[in-house]
Amino acid sequence: MQANNLDVIDLFLKLLSFESITPDDAGSLAYIRSYLQGYEEIWVNEGGVKNLFLYKKFGEGDHLCFAGHVDVVPPGKGWQTDPFVPVIKEGKIYARGTQDMKSGVAAFVQTLRETETFNGTLSLLLTSDEEGVATYGTQIMLAHLKEVGMLPDYCVVAEPTCEDRFGDAIKIGRRGSINGYLTIHGRQGHAAYPEKADNPVHRIAPLLQQLAGVNLDKGDDDFAPSQMVITDIRGGMEVTNVTPGELKLMFNVRNSTKTTQDDVRVHVDKVLDGMEYTLELTQGSYPFVTDRNSKIVEAMRRSIKEITGVETKLSTAGGTSDARFMGAYGIDVVEFGVINDTIHAPNERTSVDEVKRLYRVFSDLVGRFE
């Protein structure tokens, strides 16, 4: 399939028309592959997920990769237009995936298509499984690239990072996510005879302020302090005359590089000393951070300043992204994209101007990345 010669907005509108709900790329990856003539291809497809890596060696210098995903979340209800028929209205483009993250994909694909010289290797890595569990997505491709000696030196993930104004934030890292499942064991009894029971609700109540809402570390220049956030508490039989025999509590810790699962367990052990309980911890993602003085961070900040006039801040806020997989391989990675105020929402939208300027930022970055 041969793609037409499009500009970045034409390409963006085309990508938005693919109904690529996770993990189905709906043909979008084949389209992008046809659009980038002259690039070598590697496909790693597993578990119903397609992953595409395209690369071109221009010179002997660094390997710079642009990464992202073509999959989107289901549209849901409340749309005023068809979520997979993009509509331009008053300078805004409406469709599922406009912000998260086909704007970023269009911007870097167009950049790579138009690049004629570069002192190194340029590549892109795209998956159709970022919005899901990501088991067979970016991490599978990275494992393969390590095997064949093709891991990039630097990476830009084009997730939407800006908050209020285009250019105001790039992400240089992400917090991890620790999930906790805590069960406080007691002894069930009759509410009329509390002295004969051991009520875990009464036991835990005075300790909650010590358990959650406290800083587990002091944070640093890159991360805010890690805190335990209680997300669910339940116990009892939904009757008024039976005291519960156990209480179950769930929590989450968005952890910095200063707090680990072991630290969380030590904290719980200290607060609940003397109580009978069980604790299970799982790690959904691990924290990472790219050095503020890294070549890719400095180059991205200069390009944003050049195109937008904005002095961008460096952030590690927000949830997870595929950048965490880059960080795990020691790749210096940053994230930069359009404003993220309507991601996953009905009537998701971004502006024509933002997409054009994102393309210009990426083009400037490639031009100055020596």
Side-chain angles (χ1 to χ4, degrees), residues 2 22 70 97 125 172 177 191 208 213 225 227 258 307 310 327 348 358 361 370:
Q2 179 65 45
T22 310
V70 296
L125 192 166
I172 60 169
S177 181
L208 285 178
Q227 285 194 1
K258 294 180 176 294
I307 301 303
V310 175
E348 183 181 354
L358 181 60
V361 168
E370 299 294 339

PDB file of all heavy atoms in Angstrom, residues 2 22 70 97 125 172 177 191 208 213 225 227 258 307 310 327 348 358 361 370:
ATOM      1  N   GLN A   2       0.679   2.127  -0.918  1.00  0.00           N
ATOM      2  CA  GLN A   2       1.461   3.356  -1.048  1.00  0.00           C
ATOM      3  C   GLN A   2       0.677   4.525  -0.485  1.00  0.00           C
ATOM      4  O   GLN A   2      -0.447   4.797  -0.889  1.00  0.00           O
ATOM      5  CB  GLN A   2       1.794   3.618  -2.528  1.00  0.00           C
ATOM      6  CG  GLN A   2       2.587   4.907  -2.764  1.00  0.00           C
ATOM      7  CD  GLN A   2       3.963   4.834  -2.146  1.00  0.00           C
ATOM      8  OE1 GLN A   2       4.650   3.840  -2.276  1.00  0.00           O
ATOM      9  NE2 GLN A   2       4.372   5.902  -1.481  1.00  0.00           N
ATOM     10  N   THR A  22      -7.480  -0.733  21.625  1.00  0.00           N
ATOM     11  CA  THR A  22      -6.547  -1.726  22.163  1.00  0.00           C
ATOM     12  C   THR A  22      -7.145  -3.132  22.142  1.00  0.00           C
ATOM     13  O   THR A  22      -8.269  -3.333  22.577  1.00  0.00           O
ATOM     14  CB  THR A  22      -6.194  -1.369  23.622  1.00  0.00           C
ATOM     15  OG1 THR A  22      -5.815  -0.001  23.703  1.00  0.00           O
ATOM     16  CG2 THR A  22      -5.084  -2.232  24.153  1.00  0.00           C
ATOM     17  N   VAL A  70      -0.381   3.499  18.871  1.00  0.00           N
ATOM     18  CA  VAL A  70      -1.487   3.837  17.977  1.00  0.00           C
ATOM     19  C   VAL A  70      -2.829   3.415  18.551  1.00  0.00           C
ATOM     20  O   VAL A  70      -3.879   3.788  18.021  1.00  0.00           O
ATOM     21  CB  VAL A  70      -1.300   3.203  16.574  1.00  0.00           C
ATOM     22  CG1 VAL A  70      -0.070   3.774  15.890  1.00  0.00           C
ATOM     23  CG2 VAL A  70      -1.218   1.681  16.672  1.00  0.00           C
ATOM     24  N   GLY A  97      -8.308   9.776  20.424  1.00  0.00           N
ATOM     25  CA  GLY A  97      -6.875   9.663  20.178  1.00  0.00           C
ATOM     26  C   GLY A  97      -6.210  10.950  19.746  1.00  0.00           C
ATOM     27  O   GLY A  97      -5.006  10.956  19.485  1.00  0.00           O
ATOM     28  N   LEU A 125       9.370   3.480  17.293  1.00  0.00           N
ATOM     29  CA  LEU A 125       8.855   2.256  17.886  1.00  0.00           C
ATOM     30  C   LEU A 125       7.391   2.490  18.218  1.00  0.00           C
ATOM     31  O   LEU A 125       7.060   3.388  19.001  1.00  0.00           O
ATOM     32  CB  LEU A 125       9.644   1.899  19.152  1.00  0.00           C
ATOM     33  CG  LEU A 125       9.451   0.499  19.760  1.00  0.00           C
ATOM     34  CD1 LEU A 125      10.551   0.218  20.770  1.00  0.00           C
ATOM     35  CD2 LEU A 125       8.092   0.303  20.422  1.00  0.00           C
ATOM     36  N   ILE A 172      10.535  13.834  32.537  1.00  0.00           N
ATOM     37  CA  ILE A 172      11.857  13.212  32.513  1.00  0.00           C
ATOM     38  C   ILE A 172      11.870  11.927  33.344  1.00  0.00           C
ATOM     39  O   ILE A 172      12.921  11.316  33.513  1.00  0.00           O
ATOM     40  CB  ILE A 172      12.949  14.175  33.013  1.00  0.00           C
ATOM     41  CG1 ILE A 172      12.660  14.608  34.454  1.00  0.00           C
ATOM     42  CG2 ILE A 172      13.058  15.389  32.091  1.00  0.00           C
ATOM     43  CD1 ILE A 172      13.824  15.355  35.103  1.00  0.00           C
ATOM     44  N   SER A 177       4.359   2.419  40.847  1.00  0.00           N
ATOM     45  CA  SER A 177       3.043   2.172  41.430  1.00  0.00           C
ATOM     46  C   SER A 177       3.060   0.861  42.197  1.00  0.00           C
ATOM     47  O   SER A 177       3.197  -0.213  41.609  1.00  0.00           O
ATOM     48  CB  SER A 177       1.970   2.128  40.334  1.00  0.00           C
ATOM     49  OG  SER A 177       0.690   1.910  40.889  1.00  0.00           O
ATOM     50  N   ALA A 191     -22.808  -7.785  68.371  1.00  0.00           N
ATOM     51  CA  ALA A 191     -22.611  -6.365  68.669  1.00  0.00           C
ATOM     52  C   ALA A 191     -22.986  -6.018  70.103  1.00  0.00           C
ATOM     53  O   ALA A 191     -22.484  -5.033  70.670  1.00  0.00           O
ATOM     54  CB  ALA A 191     -23.428  -5.514  67.696  1.00  0.00           C
ATOM     55  N   LEU A 208      -5.193   4.896  61.382  1.00  0.00           N
ATOM     56  CA  LEU A 208      -5.253   5.231  59.958  1.00  0.00           C
ATOM     57  C   LEU A 208      -4.415   6.454  59.625  1.00  0.00           C
ATOM     58  O   LEU A 208      -3.762   6.502  58.576  1.00  0.00           O
ATOM     59  CB  LEU A 208      -6.715   5.450  59.524  1.00  0.00           C
ATOM     60  CG  LEU A 208      -7.557   4.179  59.373  1.00  0.00           C
ATOM     61  CD1 LEU A 208      -8.979   4.533  58.994  1.00  0.00           C
ATOM     62  CD2 LEU A 208      -6.945   3.240  58.353  1.00  0.00           C
ATOM     63  N   GLY A 213      -1.353   8.796  54.297  1.00  0.00           N
ATOM     64  CA  GLY A 213      -1.272  10.253  54.277  1.00  0.00           C
ATOM     65  C   GLY A 213       0.008  10.807  54.861  1.00  0.00           C
ATOM     66  O   GLY A 213       0.143  12.020  55.027  1.00  0.00           O
ATOM     67  N   PRO A 225       7.414  13.569  47.675  1.00  0.00           N
ATOM     68  CA  PRO A 225       7.478  12.446  48.612  1.00  0.00           C
ATOM     69  C   PRO A 225       6.454  11.359  48.271  1.00  0.00           C
ATOM     70  O   PRO A 225       5.348  11.638  47.818  1.00  0.00           O
ATOM     71  CB  PRO A 225       7.154  13.098  49.962  1.00  0.00           C
ATOM     72  CG  PRO A 225       7.540  14.535  49.802  1.00  0.00           C
ATOM     73  CD  PRO A 225       7.219  14.858  48.372  1.00  0.00           C
ATOM     74  N   GLN A 227       3.668   8.659  49.117  1.00  0.00           N
ATOM     75  CA  GLN A 227       2.631   8.535  50.141  1.00  0.00           C
ATOM     76  C   GLN A 227       1.763   7.315  49.873  1.00  0.00           C
ATOM     77  O   GLN A 227       1.541   6.937  48.728  1.00  0.00           O
ATOM     78  CB  GLN A 227       1.725   9.772  50.178  1.00  0.00           C
ATOM     79  CG  GLN A 227       2.322  10.987  50.817  1.00  0.00           C
ATOM     80  CD  GLN A 227       1.263  12.038  51.124  1.00  0.00           C
ATOM     81  OE1 GLN A 227       0.084  11.846  50.865  1.00  0.00           O
ATOM     82  NE2 GLN A 227       1.683  13.155  51.690  1.00  0.00           N
ATOM     83  N   LYS A 258      13.171   6.629  45.840  1.00  0.00           N
ATOM     84  CA  LYS A 258      13.634   6.530  47.222  1.00  0.00           C
ATOM     85  C   LYS A 258      12.820   5.544  48.056  1.00  0.00           C
ATOM     86  O   LYS A 258      13.168   5.270  49.212  1.00  0.00           O
ATOM     87  CB  LYS A 258      13.601   7.915  47.886  1.00  0.00           C
ATOM     88  CG  LYS A 258      14.582   8.913  47.300  1.00  0.00           C
ATOM     89  CD  LYS A 258      14.489  10.249  48.016  1.00  0.00           C
ATOM     90  CE  LYS A 258      15.535  11.223  47.495  1.00  0.00           C
ATOM     91  NZ  LYS A 258      16.902  10.789  47.811  1.00  0.00           N
ATOM     92  N   ILE A 307      10.725  27.017  19.355  1.00  0.00           N
ATOM     93  CA  ILE A 307       9.465  26.987  18.609  1.00  0.00           C
ATOM     94  C   ILE A 307       8.339  27.710  19.340  1.00  0.00           C
ATOM     95  O   ILE A 307       7.504  28.374  18.714  1.00  0.00           O
ATOM     96  CB  ILE A 307       9.043  25.533  18.314  1.00  0.00           C
ATOM     97  CG1 ILE A 307      10.131  24.823  17.502  1.00  0.00           C
ATOM     98  CG2 ILE A 307       7.706  25.495  17.575  1.00  0.00           C
ATOM     99  CD1 ILE A 307      10.504  25.491  16.202  1.00  0.00           C
ATOM    100  N   VAL A 310       8.568  29.188  25.182  1.00  0.00           N
ATOM    101  CA  VAL A 310       8.239  28.812  26.555  1.00  0.00           C
ATOM    102  C   VAL A 310       9.436  28.136  27.222  1.00  0.00           C
ATOM    103  O   VAL A 310      10.101  27.291  26.619  1.00  0.00           O
ATOM    104  CB  VAL A 310       7.028  27.850  26.578  1.00  0.00           C
ATOM    105  CG1 VAL A 310       6.749  27.351  27.992  1.00  0.00           C
ATOM    106  CG2 VAL A 310       5.804  28.535  25.993  1.00  0.00           C
ATOM    107  N   GLY A 327      13.254   3.380  30.393  1.00  0.00           N
ATOM    108  CA  GLY A 327      14.078   3.632  31.563  1.00  0.00           C
ATOM    109  C   GLY A 327      14.677   2.356  32.127  1.00  0.00           C
ATOM    110  O   GLY A 327      15.814   2.354  32.615  1.00  0.00           O
ATOM    111  N   GLU A 348     -12.822  14.137  22.928  1.00  0.00           N
ATOM    112  CA  GLU A 348     -11.387  14.390  23.005  1.00  0.00           C
ATOM    113  C   GLU A 348     -10.970  15.265  21.821  1.00  0.00           C
ATOM    114  O   GLU A 348     -11.416  15.072  20.695  1.00  0.00           O
ATOM    115  CB  GLU A 348     -10.624  13.063  22.980  1.00  0.00           C
ATOM    116  CG  GLU A 348      -9.119  13.203  23.119  1.00  0.00           C
ATOM    117  CD  GLU A 348      -8.401  11.862  23.068  1.00  0.00           C
ATOM    118  OE1 GLU A 348      -9.094  10.804  23.043  1.00  0.00           O
ATOM    119  OE2 GLU A 348      -7.164  11.857  23.025  1.00  0.00           O
ATOM    120  N   LEU A 358       4.031  20.931  17.446  1.00  0.00           N
ATOM    121  CA  LEU A 358       4.698  19.720  17.930  1.00  0.00           C
ATOM    122  C   LEU A 358       5.585  19.136  16.840  1.00  0.00           C
ATOM    123  O   LEU A 358       6.737  18.741  17.102  1.00  0.00           O
ATOM    124  CB  LEU A 358       3.652  18.695  18.359  1.00  0.00           C
ATOM    125  CG  LEU A 358       4.204  17.375  18.926  1.00  0.00           C
ATOM    126  CD1 LEU A 358       5.057  17.619  20.160  1.00  0.00           C
ATOM    127  CD2 LEU A 358       3.048  16.415  19.248  1.00  0.00           C
ATOM    128  N   VAL A 361       8.658  21.259  16.685  1.00  0.00           N
ATOM    129  CA  VAL A 361       9.566  20.974  17.797  1.00  0.00           C
ATOM    130  C   VAL A 361      10.387  19.719  17.505  1.00  0.00           C
ATOM    131  O   VAL A 361      11.620  19.702  17.676  1.00  0.00           O
ATOM    132  CB  VAL A 361       8.795  20.810  19.124  1.00  0.00           C
ATOM    133  CG1 VAL A 361       9.703  20.226  20.216  1.00  0.00           C
ATOM    134  CG2 VAL A 361       8.231  22.151  19.589  1.00  0.00           C
ATOM    135  N   GLU A 370      23.084  16.822  17.642  1.00  0.00           N
ATOM    136  CA  GLU A 370      24.427  16.411  17.163  1.00  0.00           C
ATOM    137  C   GLU A 370      25.269  15.897  18.321  1.00  0.00           C
ATOM    138  O   GLU A 370      25.035  16.225  19.455  1.00  0.00           O
ATOM    139  CB  GLU A 370      25.117  17.615  16.508  1.00  0.00           C
ATOM    140  CG  GLU A 370      24.360  18.168  15.292  1.00  0.00           C
ATOM    141  CD  GLU A 370      24.323  17.203  14.126  1.00  0.00           C
ATOM    142  OE1 GLU A 370      25.179  16.313  14.081  1.00  0.00           O
ATOM    143  OE2 GLU A 370      23.423  17.336  13.269  1.00  0.00           O
TER     144      GLU A 370
END
